[in-house]
Each structure stands twice: as C-alpha cells, then as structure tokens.
Amino acid sequence: MKKLTLKNISLEHAREICDNYALATTINLFIIDSGNQIIYRTRSKEIEKNNCGYDFCTYLNKCSANKNTCERIYSYGTKEAKRFGGRYIYFCHTGLAHFTSPVLIEDDVFLTIVSEPIIMFDSEEYFEMDLKKSLNQEQKEELKKLLKFVKPVEPSVVHALSEMLFVNTEYISKQASKEMDSYKMQGKISEFRYNFKEDEENHINSYFAKEDELMKAMQAFDKDRASELLNEILGEVFFLSGYRFEKIKLRVVELVSLLSRAAIKGGADIRIFGINDGYLEEIEKLKTIDETAVWLSKIMNRFMGAMFDFSDVQNKDLIYKALEYIRRNYMNKITLETVANEVYLSPGYFSKVFKQEMKINFSNYLSEYRIEKSKILISDKNLELTDISQMVGFEDQSYFTKVFKKTTGQSPGKYRRSMGI
C-alpha cells in the first residue's frame, strides 16, 4: 500500500484556509511539517507591502549562536497544543508570542499551523529588557527597525485569534480524516480485488461464506477478525456489483441489516434495529463510491462498538462517548443537553444513566474535570489566571474561583503560590 504523506491529507486545502485567515486577520501563519520545518508561509495582500514578525525573527536568529532554537520551539508548541486540547499560546526564546494548533489525523500530528511572532506588551519595554544586553550597536539599530513590523496584540485578542485558528484546524483535520479513510478503504479494496479469482460463482460463494464467518467472529468477540471480514465483504460488494452505484447501494442496505443482526446476536440491545431507518435515509444521499466506502466504514465501527460494549456493561458505550466528548470540548460551552444529544438520549435519561455509572452528577463531573485541567495551566507562570478560567471553559472568573476553591481548598492564586511560582 502506498505510504501516506502530507500530499494525501489536503495540504493545498490547509494552505487556502491559512491564506483566508491571514487576509481576514492580517496575522500571518506558518505551516510546519513533522520535522518542525516551515513548509508554507502566508502573505496577505495587506502584509505584502511591509515586513512582518518573521523577518524580525530571521534577523535575530542570525545574531544568535543557536541556529536550531526555532525548530525546538515549534516542536514544544505542537506537543503542548495537542496536550491541551488542540490549541496553545506560548512565548518563544526571543520573548515574542505565538499561538498554534496541530492538524490531527487519528490522534497523530500531520502538520501544525503557527502564528507569526507577535508582541503582547510595549515594544520599547520589550527591546530594552529582552534584547539590548546581547547585541552590538549595528544589530540593535537593525532590529529596532524590524521590531516596528512585529504586531502588538492584546492578550484577549490573542486568545480570540487562537480560538479562530483552532476552529480552522479542526475543520482541516476532519476533512483530512475523510480523505485518509477513503484512501485506506480504497487501498484495502484494491488489494482484495488483486487477489480475486476469475470465477464469479466462487465470488458469490465466498461472499455468503464471509457473511457467516462475520456473524461468528462478532459473537466470539473477535473484533480484529470481524473488522477484517467486513472490509473483505465490502470489496466483494463492489466487485459483484460491477461498480454500478445503484447496485452497490442495494448491497450496502443488506450489509447494514447483516451488521445489526450480528450485533444483536452478540448481545446488543434489540432497539438497535430502530437505528436502521435513519441509515437508509443516509444511504439514499450518498453520491459516490468513495463517499459510500467511508460512510460504511464508520457504520461498521458503530455497530461493532454497540455489540462489544453492550456485552460488557449496558451503558458503557454511551458513557465512553460522553466522556470523550467532554475531553475534546471542555474548553467550550457544554450543557447536559449538548452531551445527551451526542449519545442520542433524552437529557433526563442521560443524566440518570451518567450518575448511575459515574457515581457523580454530570455538572459536578464537568466542573471537576475543568478544574483538573486548570491546575496544569496554573503551573505555567506566563498565563494569567483570568485567561486560564476561559481556557478551561468557565465563562465567569468569579465562578471559576469559587469552584476551584471548593474543589481544592485554595484559591487559584494561592494554589499557584504554593507551587513556588
């Protein structure tokens, strides 16, 4: 199978989004590859007339003995952004600020988008405190000229810009994931077709035999084998349908029904049959073979997940999905209704199930989770406490302080001082 590269995950699309972001905000962005090298840098029309923070850093690095500092900083920013939910604001070795967000595919970083260096306080004060000591006179004069083109941005605006970038990288990640899923699926199908025998009757017999084997694999809780068989069956579906799309869709309907029966025999709730009606509507909307392959792959995983999870603990699947949603979105506004909708339950029933399984009500769990995340951020002396409350999803600073003190026994400020910061 062909090795996946950046070319396979919509790098051109990422460039287009970065260009639009720069045009709208006048903040340039860099696209960083897995080796922490800049592979693309935006230049909005407004910025083209002047230099920008990048030119300042380029010259400053020439004055420095350490030539690899930027690469290490990019690597650090990427790791921290991934650790803190997809976005991170930090200061580089020069004292200038960046905000960054990675593009994640299957939880792996494929590329990172970083803002140009910006300055979050008075430029004269910055020059006197951070730069003046280590430069000769000629360097000072040149850097002072270039510093005029480093954008001064208020901390609250930096936070807003970081959130905007995060939304864009999330979109790129989703689009790239679809492309990746399609690429993988087509690779498996191509590989399977390559090994086909020429006798169509054998294909038909193989198709039904694999259906029976799939049912047995699922009932035996052999998830790896079940996944393998589902991909092989899909390859048979495409081949036996002669790649005629309307025939493929009829086969897909049959396959969805097969999956639901296998899941129920494996221990899933019989109400899973009720979900099929919604899937039939989705199948009608499918337009291409690639789109169908990606969609069906997700449905396969959903049915298998329902079967395996119901066989263990009745509500384990929906609780896992709820906790995963909180993990990915705790920094945003989350309500009981929002999460209940994610797991297809009424808010009242979801609240009851959540408390039963987690031994804590939903709102308290969410608050405690956010407080745990805030403890990590508080250890970063470069972050203001007022910013931290918003970064973990508290819209009101005083409420954040109240919940933090109730949970830890200390105010956020006292907690930070107890860490020696």
Side-chain angles (χ1 to χ4, degrees), residues 199-378:
D199 186 354
E200 186 172 349
E201 184 177 347
N202 286 342
H203 288 305
I204 295 173
N205 293 334
S206 174
Y207 178 84
F208 289 116
K210 281 181 169 55
E211 282 190 348
D212 292 338
E213 194 176 348
L214 170 62
M215 298 282 279
K216 292 176 182 177
M218 293 185 73
Q219 291 172 55
F221 308 113
D222 187 347
K223 194 169 184 179
D224 290 338
R225 179 57 179 157
S227 297
E228 180 183 347
L229 286 164
L230 284 166
N231 283 323
E232 291 180 5
I233 289 172
L234 184 58
E236 296 272 16
V237 165
F238 285 2
F239 182 82
L240 292 172
S241 300
Y243 283 81
R244 290 188 291 274
F245 192 55
E246 289 307 315
K247 280 194 173 185
I248 288 173
K249 290 207 290 189
L250 290 175
R251 298 274 189 173
V252 168
V253 171
E254 296 173 2
L255 188 52
V256 169
S257 179
L258 170 72
L259 288 169
S260 60
R261 291 198 306 273
I264 291 169
K265 287 187 176 182
D269 195 307
I270 195 170
R271 288 173 295 179
I272 199 172
F273 263 128
I275 303 175
N276 287 356
D277 293 338
Y279 289 157
L280 292 177
E281 294 179 5
E282 292 182 26
I283 291 171
E284 284 302 312
K285 296 177 183 178
L286 297 172
K287 302 297 183 185
T288 67
I289 290 178
D290 284 351
E291 186 181 353
T292 303
V294 173
W295 179 85
L296 189 54
S297 177
K298 292 178 181 177
I299 300 307
M300 290 175 181
N301 290 330
R302 190 173 299 176
F303 272 110
M304 285 192 292
M307 192 278 291
F308 288 113
D309 291 328
F310 271 101
S311 68
D312 183 9
V313 179
Q314 183 177 2
N315 297 308
K316 182 179 177 182
D317 180 55
L318 69 88
I319 293 298
Y320 171 80
K321 290 175 182 175
L323 297 181
E324 180 66 11
Y325 182 83
I326 291 171
R327 184 182 75 82
R328 291 184 176 276
N329 296 278
Y330 70 89
M331 67 294 296
N332 303 318
K333 183 177 180 180
I334 296 179
T335 64
L336 175 69
E337 289 75 14
T338 302
V339 183
N341 184 59
E342 285 293 316
V343 296
Y344 306 105
L345 293 179
S346 68
Y349 184 65
F350 170 69
S351 177
K352 179 181 177 181
V353 170
F354 190 94
K355 187 171 183 179
Q356 177 182 326
E357 295 293 335
M358 299 299 294
K359 313 305 179 188
I360 184 175
N361 68 40
F362 172 79
S363 60
N364 287 345
Y365 176 86
L366 178 59
S367 292
E368 290 184 8
Y369 187 87
R370 285 169 165 166
I371 293 302
E372 289 304 310
K373 291 294 183 182
S374 73
K375 289 179 182 178
I376 299 172
L377 297 177
I378 286 173

Side-chain angles (χ1 to χ4, degrees), residues 408-419:
T408 67
Q410 298 177 302
S411 68
K414 189 173 182 181
Y415 183 84
R416 172 174 275 182
R417 289 192 294 274
S418 71
M419 301 173 71

